[in-house]
Amino acid sequence: MDDFLIFTPGDVDLARSPLRGTIGAETYVLGAFNPGFARLPNGNILMMVRVAEALREPVSGDHVHAIRWTADGYVRDPHTLAGVNMSDPRQFDVAGGSYRMLALTSLSWLLPVELDADGRRIAAVHYDKAIAPAAGYQDYGVEDARITLIDGVYYMTTCSVSAQRHCTSLHISTNGLDYALQGVVLDHQNKDMILFEGKVAGKFCALTRPLGELYLAYPEQSAYIGGPSINLAQSPDGLHWKPVDQPFLRPRKAAMLSRKLGGGAQPIPTPEGWLMLYHGVETRAKVGVYRTFWALLDAREPWRILRLEDEVPLLEADPALTAPIAQQLYLPTEVVFTTGIVDGGDHYIVASGEADLACRITHIPKARFA
């Protein structure tokens, strides 16, 4: 199984960042990771890389600053140091509200990186096609693209971040490189939305992962435990979505991924059914340990899980991969976050974010899923 990092923070040219010109402060790449992944019409592969760009010196005097997009450019919002908790390098807690409130240490934008057909070499980096915040619901960034090709159209979901809402937005492309924003498709705190690579009974189908402040307890004898789970939704047009009534993938008491689960790669059709890669989180430290697992879903009724592999991970974080850039690691636990899959013939080419830092490519033989 071939396994390597293909794109790291050092590969980003910040002189061509959308933030240049208006931010008025030095920045650096906190991470270049969690890439959307799809085969382009020319046979090459697109990685839509999330670039988390952070202030080099976020603290000035009695304040820590967060980056925010506005229609007139990027600004730095000050937050009084006495009222924040900066124990997490990705974000800080802001005091003073009735609910938990966060500000981010970075702002994310999306960079299209074109790989060769085998996903082993960078063919081009398309800075001219980068996707930056463009609406009020994205003023703290655009994160974690997932790309699905359906009937010749590329559907890209992203997590749009703002104080207004933390939602899923949709972009559409006919060539895989030029995307048009369609707006919000799922509302506040419904993340990890990923469209199936094909329709089910004539309808679009997608994984969703709503979050909440509390979860009701299952009976003690239940095999499940309350917490974030993966749901399904269907749509006639890709814009208007109805949740599927049947429950889908829920955390099991017997599995190591007891903290939460969420979608990974776009579900793809196989002769046996839909192949779905997803992430599960083990409770450890502040972030948790992220691993990739897989399931096989019924082709006609995808809420029917034919096979569930949630005990032995398909992928785990590999410290050997990040050893050459270990000085840039900032998470307290090991994280691999799978975000896309394409067919490579006798194997699948899988894209992941490694350690919220870099893009990882893994070639997995199809026999692994037999």
Side-chain angles (χ1 to χ4, degrees):
M1 184 171 74
D2 292 342
D3 209 4
F4 51 92
L5 297 186
I6 189 73
F7 198 79
T8 71
D11 294 315
V12 179
D13 181 2
L14 282 185
R16 305 179 72 178
S17 160
L19 276 65
R20 291 291 73 89
T22 61
I23 188 62
E26 184 182 358
T27 61
Y28 73 101
V29 179
L30 180 68
F33 59 111
N34 293 3
F37 205 57
R39 182 78 67 181
L40 293 170
N42 65 1
N44 284 349
I45 298 173
L46 171 70
M47 288 197 314
M48 188 64 80
V49 179
R50 172 184 172 184
V51 178
E53 188 169 347
L55 295 169
R56 178 69 69 183
E57 299 290 344
V59 176
S60 176
D62 296 330
H63 293 85
V64 59
H65 295 80
I67 305 172
R68 179 170 55 88
W69 171 87
T70 74
D72 297 320
Y74 294 88
V75 298
R76 290 171 289 154
D77 291 330
H79 296 272
T80 305
L81 271 175
V84 304
N85 179 344
M86 298 181 64
S87 61
D88 190 324
R90 304 167 302 167
Q91 61 200 29
F92 52 89
D93 287 74
V94 179
S98 300
Y99 297 89
R100 185 187 180 199
M101 293 188 297
L102 301 175
L104 302 179
T105 62
S106 63
L107 182 143
S108 291
W109 49 277
L110 303 178
L111 178 60
V113 176
E114 186 174 343
L115 307 181
D116 66 7
D118 294 326
R120 297 181 180 276
R121 181 181 62 84
I122 296 173
V125 181
H126 299 281
Y127 286 94
D128 59 323
K129 301 182 187 299
I131 296 174
Y137 54 84
Q138 299 177 323
D139 60 14
Y140 289 145
V142 186
E143 304 177 353
D144 296 350
R146 307 302 217 288
I147 304 174
T148 306
L149 179 60
I150 306 171
D151 297 337
V153 177
Y154 294 85
Y155 295 84
M156 181 174 73
T157 58
T158 65
C159 181
S160 291
V161 188
S162 74
Q164 299 175 12
R165 49 174 51 159
H166 196 185
C167 60
T168 296
S169 52
L170 178 69
H171 293 72
I172 290 180
S173 172
T174 55
N175 64 10
L177 286 173
D178 298 286
Y179 285 85
L181 178 62
Q182 304 300 301
V184 175
V185 288
L186 290 183
D187 214 331
H188 187 58
Q189 289 197 314
N190 203 339
K191 298 176 56 181
D192 291 331
M193 183 188 192
I194 310 162
L195 275 65
F196 282 57
E197 202 168 82
K199 295 180 181 178
V200 177
K203 295 182 179 180
F204 292 89
C205 190
L207 310 175
T208 70
R209 208 281 307 282
L211 294 173
E213 287 196 329
L214 62 85
Y215 297 87
L216 297 182
Y218 284 94
E220 288 188 358
Q221 67 271 24
S222 173
Y224 301 106
I225 187 170
S229 60
I230 304 174
N231 294 346
L232 295 176
Q234 292 182 320
S235 169
D237 57 8
L239 293 172
H240 303 89
W241 293 87
K242 179 193 179 301
V244 171
D245 293 344
Q246 292 88 344
F248 186 49
L249 198 56
R250 296 169 282 173
R252 295 193 312 119
K253 291 177 181 176
M256 66 173 64
L257 40 86
S258 59
R259 183 165 178 170
K260 64 180 178 181
L261 347 140
Q266 70 276 27
I268 59 172
T270 74
E272 293 76 30
W274 296 101
L275 175 63
M276 181 186 81
L277 310 188
Y278 66 97
H279 66 261
V281 186
E282 176 189 358
T283 301
R284 193 186 303 173
K286 193 175 185 68
V287 177
V289 176
Y290 281 68
R291 301 178 176 93
T292 300
F293 300 86
W294 66 279
L296 189 67
L297 316 178
D298 184 81
R300 296 184 178 182
E301 298 179 333
W303 50 88
R304 291 184 52 231
I305 301 172
L306 305 179
R307 182 173 175 182
L308 181 62
E309 295 289 337
D310 65 352
E311 295 184 358
V312 178
L314 178 68
L315 290 177
E316 297 186 84
D318 185 353
L321 295 178
T322 51
I325 53 174
Q327 74 280 2
Q328 296 174 269
L329 291 169
Y330 57 91
L331 294 183
T333 48
E334 296 178 347
V335 170
V336 61
F337 192 86
T338 294
T339 48
I341 184 171
V342 300
D343 197 322
D346 63 353
H347 64 281
Y348 291 114
I349 306 172
V350 175
S352 306
E354 184 76 2
D356 275 11
L357 181 64
C359 296
R360 171 179 174 178
I361 296 294
T362 310
H363 290 222
I364 303 177
K366 290 183 177 178
R368 173 68 176 78
F369 303 98

